[in-house]
Amino acid sequence: FVRAEFEGAPACGLHGNQKDAQYTHIRDVILRHLNRAVNEDVAEDKRLRDTRLWHCPKSAEGPDEAAEPETSEQPGELLRLVFEYEMLGDVLHATRLYQDFVALPQQASDPKALFGYARFLMRTGQRQIEAEKALRRALSVRKPGEASFEEVAFLACIMQNYELPCSLGGIEARSSRFSAACTLLEQYLDAHPTERLPYYFLFAVHAVEKLQSPDPGQEEGPVQEADEAKEDAEEGAAAPQPESV
């Protein structure tokens, strides 16, 4: 290498003259070659690991490598792959990866992860029954009275989306689904009486039911309940709010 790249450099040894300084340049060139080779090996290894994770997240380690315990980086990798597959239109593979994500021990009891999974199911095919199961599971892992309004409202909307079936049935179970949606919101209001948004949302639920009601003779009930929900919302808005400490 020395004779090919630096013909004027000494072959070996130091002589105490100006030619000895040429070894400094040789060292720099050798270090650049070594660093480039190491970086190429690291990049190649990362590419192979990403390829294995892309095809099968559970086999990110090679067949000849010992399996390592799951780290906090794995959920992020799974969500990244879910996003990429969703952007590519491969909903089936994205769903499998998301199921692996919510099955992780640290995510199985996380309501936010289950809520995100329910949103994913609805935006990638309106899979309402599966989304309902995810939301019910998210509510079940919370303590009584600590339910998130986003989760309650999402589940109430699913109950009132009569175009798709739910666990209570299809369009034939319209009254049961409407009652379930109202019950969800009313129970949340009982636990959070000072919040204003749930009152308006309950009024919207009654108003939508009135507009979608197929039987004009049954409109008086939803109209009266809608008026009552509106009055409750106005009273909640007019009530003095507790001062924050």
Side-chain angles (χ1 to χ4, degrees), residues 22-41:
Q22 296 185 17
Y23 278 116
T24 302
H25 302 289
I26 296 174
R27 169 186 172 277
D28 295 339
V29 174
I30 291 175
L31 284 179
R32 284 199 297 270
H33 280 281
L34 289 175
N35 289 333
R36 185 182 300 111
V38 171
N39 291 334
E40 289 177 355
D41 291 341

Side-chain angles (χ1 to χ4, degrees), residues 64-140:
D64 56 343
E65 297 179 359
E68 297 180 357
E70 296 174 348
T71 62
S72 59
E73 298 179 356
Q74 189 177 10
E77 290 292 327
L78 288 174
L79 286 181
R80 177 180 65 85
L81 292 175
V82 168
F83 172 78
E84 292 178 357
Y85 272 115
E86 185 180 353
M87 292 297 100
L88 292 174
D90 192 348
V91 177
L92 179 60
H93 209 152
T95 302
R96 292 176 180 173
L97 291 173
Y98 220 131
Q99 290 173 350
D100 292 340
F101 171 75
V102 296
L104 294 175
Q106 62 268 37
Q107 305 297 333
S109 58
D110 185 2
K112 294 183 179 179
L114 297 170
F115 178 73
Y117 179 53
R119 293 182 58 191
F120 166 79
L121 291 172
M122 290 299 292
R123 72 170 177 264
T124 57
Q126 295 289 303
R127 291 169 284 181
Q128 187 161 272
I129 294 181
E130 298 178 19
E132 180 190 352
K133 292 180 180 179
L135 287 173
R136 290 182 181 276
R137 183 179 172 187
L139 293 173
S140 66

